């Protein structure tokens, strides 16, 4: 079993920053990919940032240059540093782990950006 626990969401004003964390536990293995998805009301869940166990990153166009994904393999934790937040970043953010084709999800953390 794999457990993912997100933290760090909240309510912030436009232009401010937040840092999300996702702690993984269980049978996560050494080789896996982790990522952050978000889902706004009435919209599909979308991948916004991903990182492999080797450190290769990928970003959605909507967040590239503002968000940074990183991971600490020793702590089995992935982070999402979100800068220059915009109202359109308001969504529930989910941590994802992909290992051997299996997908695991956290419960999500709400991020709300006020204008």
């Amino acid at each position: 079993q794999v457990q993912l626990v997100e933290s760090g969401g909240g309510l912030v004003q436009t232009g401010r920053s937040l840092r999300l964390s996702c702690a993984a536990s269980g049978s996560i293995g050494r080789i896996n990919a982790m990522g952050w998805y978000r889902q706004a009301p009435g919209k599909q869940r979308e991948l916004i940032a991903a990182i492999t166990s080797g450190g290769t990153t990928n970003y959605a166009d909507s967040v590239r240059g503002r968000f940074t994904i990183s991971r600490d393999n020793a702590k089995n934790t992935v982070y999402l540093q979100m800068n220059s937040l915009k109202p359109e970043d308001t969504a529930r953010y989910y941590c994802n782990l992909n290992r051997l084709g299996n997908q695991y999800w956290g419960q999500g953390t709400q991020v709300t950006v006020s204008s």
Side-chain angles (χ1 to χ4, degrees), residues 77-110:
T77 299
V78 64
Y79 305 96
L80 185 67
Q81 178 66 42
M82 305 185 294
N83 298 329
S84 303
L85 284 162
K86 306 175 181 179
E88 50 264 44
D89 294 318
T90 295
R92 191 163 186 86
Y93 285 68
Y94 296 88
C95 179
N96 171 272
L97 186 148
N98 185 336
R99 182 173 184 271
L100 302 178
N102 296 312
Q103 301 274 356
Y104 302 92
W105 297 92
Q107 293 297 311
T109 184
Q110 179 68 32

Side-chain angles (χ1 to χ4, degrees), residues 44-98:
Q44 289 188 331
R45 190 173 297 189
E46 61 172 343
L47 174 64
I48 57 170
I51 186 168
T52 67
S53 52
T56 300
T57 59
N58 189 35
Y59 297 93
D61 290 342
S62 58
V63 306
R64 186 175 291 113
R66 299 188 298 123
F67 292 10
T68 302
I69 189 171
S70 61
R71 63 188 290 170
D72 184 334
N73 289 332
K75 296 182 178 180
N76 295 325
T77 299
V78 64
Y79 305 96
L80 185 67
Q81 178 66 42
M82 305 185 294
N83 298 329
S84 303
L85 284 162
K86 306 175 181 179
E88 50 264 44
D89 294 318
T90 295
R92 191 163 186 86
Y93 285 68
Y94 296 88
C95 179
N96 171 272
L97 186 148
N98 185 336

Side-chain angles (χ1 to χ4, degrees), residues 10-64:
L11 172 64
V12 296
Q13 292 181 324
T14 296
R16 302 300 291 269
S17 299
L18 277 177
R19 187 194 195 202
L20 305 184
S21 299
C22 172
S25 61
S27 302
I28 61 176
R30 294 174 58 188
I31 301 176
N32 56 63
M34 297 188 74
W36 288 96
Y37 287 69
R38 69 184 181 188
Q39 187 168 20
K43 295 187 177 181
Q44 289 188 331
R45 190 173 297 189
E46 61 172 343
L47 174 64
I48 57 170
I51 186 168
T52 67
S53 52
T56 300
T57 59
N58 189 35
Y59 297 93
D61 290 342
S62 58
V63 306
R64 186 175 291 113

